[in-house]
Amino acid sequence: MKNTLMIFTFMLLTFCVDAKQKTHLTDIESITIPLQNYLSGHIKGDKNILGKALHSEGKLSYLRDGKYAKIAFPDYLNRMKLRKKDDAVERVPYIKSVDVTGNVAVAKLVLDYSSIVFTDYMTLLKIAGEWKITNKIAYSVRDPKNNKAAIANISEIMALLIRYEQALKSGDLKDLTAIFHSEAKVMSSANGKFTAVTLNNFEDSFAQMPTKDQALLSHKIQSLDTTGNAAVAKILLIYPNSTVTQYLSLLRIDEQWKVVNNAITVN
């Protein structure tokens, strides 16, 4: 078996030569550590290496026959088995992109196993000074003769994101709830501590917030990346005294896009 590990980090960031640049660069370098552990552990089937990358409360979300499915990271690790060194499978995993804001980041990984190509969108949080993968959504192509991903309808995703922004601004709890999958979680890291709340708890907090028309000054969809039935969007929310960045992980479930995870950082 020949395993080739190619790490390509595509950084869509603009840097200036100052202290802020060095801080960002250090974060990018630090983020690649769990990502490389994930890729190395995956191609070897080594749950010990893989476990170094994953947060114990994280989960994998994906589609099975068009239906939503999930695996908690501890269960995911328990299913991992060491691969035979002589199985003659060519494995080429690599990091395609990394985007970081504050203590939240999203990375896009590709694992090309010849007969199957995986695309994984990883959400990472900086917890107690260490980056950990806290959420993963996955898409796979299992046709070695045609390993092209399905083409996503960008307008469908954009329509959902615009609805989300409007719900945040208007305070429409019903519309906000409809955008999320029922098992979605909202994650954050503050003061070095990891927090993950269910959709119900997020709804309760949202309902108690002041009038959004007055609080939210502006908002914009900063980026969108999609592969097949999986996507990640970055949204910026400007309030009078803070800027909130949200990374939304989405899956196309039963022919409808839904948010399955939201990672938030406040500056």
Side-chain angles (χ1 to χ4, degrees):
M1 177 186 71
K2 180 182 178 182
N3 290 334
T4 306
L5 180 59
M6 302 192 314
I7 303 299
F8 297 119
T9 303
F10 180 58
M11 296 176 290
L12 299 177
L13 299 171
T14 300
F15 298 122
C16 297
V17 183
D18 57 11
K20 186 175 182 180
Q21 175 196 10
K22 294 179 182 179
T23 300
H24 264 309
L25 187 59
T26 299
D27 277 337
I28 290 290
E29 292 174 336
S30 299
I31 288 165
T32 63
I33 295 173
L35 297 179
Q36 291 183 41
N37 282 333
Y38 174 85
L39 292 174
S40 178
H42 200 284
I43 63 175
K44 294 177 181 178
D46 192 325
K47 64 182 180 182
N48 293 321
I49 297 176
L50 198 62
K52 295 177 181 179
L54 307 179
H55 190 274
S56 59
E57 295 184 46
K59 66 182 175 73
L60 156 64
S61 297
Y62 62 103
L63 296 186
R64 179 184 293 159
D65 299 325
K67 303 295 182 181
Y68 175 79
K70 69 173 183 178
I71 305 174
F73 280 166
D75 294 334
Y76 178 65
L77 290 174
N78 288 334
R79 299 183 186 187
M80 190 63 59
K81 295 181 180 180
L82 286 171
R83 307 187 196 278
K84 295 180 180 180
K85 295 182 179 180
D86 58 349
D87 65 4
V89 177
E90 179 81 13
R91 297 184 176 93
V92 184
Y94 57 94
I95 302 170
K96 192 168 186 179
S97 67
V98 176
D99 189 286
V100 57
T101 304
N103 51 20
V104 180
V106 166
K108 182 178 182 179
L109 309 184
V110 176
L111 298 96
D112 187 345
Y113 283 18
S114 299
S115 62
I116 179 171
V117 178
F118 297 97
T119 299
D120 297 332
Y121 289 101
M122 304 296 198
T123 302
L124 302 97
L125 291 177
K126 193 174 185 180
I127 305 166
E130 184 178 7
W131 287 95
K132 289 285 186 178
I133 298 171
T134 57
N135 188 75
K136 168 187 169 181
I137 57 173
Y139 173 77
S140 61
V141 178
R142 298 176 181 270
D143 182 359
K145 295 181 180 179
N146 179 22
N147 62 0
K148 294 182 179 179
I151 299 175
N153 189 327
I154 299 296
S155 61
E156 288 182 356
I157 307 174
M158 290 297 295
L160 183 75
L161 297 177
I162 291 169
R163 279 180 57 201
Y164 179 63
E165 291 178 322
Q166 291 173 343
L168 289 173
K169 187 170 179 61
S170 66
D172 189 331
L173 181 59
K174 183 178 180 180
D175 201 28
L176 182 85
T177 302
I179 291 164
F180 284 81
H181 186 269
S182 59
E183 296 191 46
K185 286 191 174 181
V186 179
M187 299 179 171
S188 63
S189 176
N191 299 319
K193 294 183 179 180
F194 170 75
T195 301
V197 299
T198 63
L199 180 59
N200 287 338
N201 289 335
F202 179 64
E203 289 172 350
D204 291 341
S205 300
F206 183 77
Q208 296 172 12
M209 291 175 67
T211 304
K212 308 299 180 300
D213 282 323
Q214 297 177 2
L216 185 59
L217 299 178
S218 64
H219 52 84
K220 67 178 179 178
I221 301 167
Q222 196 165 50
S223 65
L224 172 63
D225 192 299
T226 181
T227 306
N229 54 34
V232 169
K234 181 179 182 181
I235 292 181
L236 215 60
L237 307 170
I238 311 298
Y239 291 90
N241 299 313
S242 64
T243 298
V244 179
T245 302
Q246 300 190 5
Y247 289 96
L248 306 177
S249 299
L250 306 101
L251 290 174
R252 194 171 189 266
I253 305 167
D254 294 326
E255 299 185 352
Q256 285 190 328
W257 288 95
K258 294 284 186 178
V259 175
V260 296
N261 192 77
N262 185 7
I264 299 175
T265 186
V266 181
N267 297 320

